[in-house]
Amino acid sequence: MLRRKPTRLELKIDDTDEFESVKKELEARKRQREEAESGGGVGGASVISVDVIGGGASASATSSAAASRAELINERIGYKPHPKPSTLPTLFGSLQF
């Protein structure tokens, strides 16, 4: 087997500048998305009420999104979960003593 020399990676100032600019852009997008989701109310009371209502809605939306995401993944990989039986006869079958 031929052995090759290790690759040398150098960190340049341009690379760090590019990283910082991309990081700032992503943070700005995230802030805009959060402001859009919170409703962007001007008054303090309206912001609180929107946050309280939006918090409950986002929690249920998050759980449904997680469930649908899990379903999509299961479908993609071909996994079909079987429902768990909840009654004793289904757990043990029809055993007769």
Side-chain angles (χ1 to χ4, degrees), residues 61-77:
T62 305
S63 63
S64 66
S68 63
R69 182 174 182 253
E71 290 171 359
L72 288 172
I73 292 171
N74 289 344
E75 181 179 327
R76 186 175 64 217
I77 64 175

Side-chain angles (χ1 to χ4, degrees), residues 48-90:
I48 292 172
S49 64
V50 169
D51 287 341
V52 170
I53 294 170
S58 66
S60 63
T62 305
S63 63
S64 66
S68 63
R69 182 174 182 253
E71 290 171 359
L72 288 172
I73 292 171
N74 289 344
E75 181 179 327
R76 186 175 64 217
I77 64 175
Y79 175 69
K80 297 178 182 175
H82 300 288
K84 295 181 180 178
S86 60
T87 60
L88 287 177
T90 56

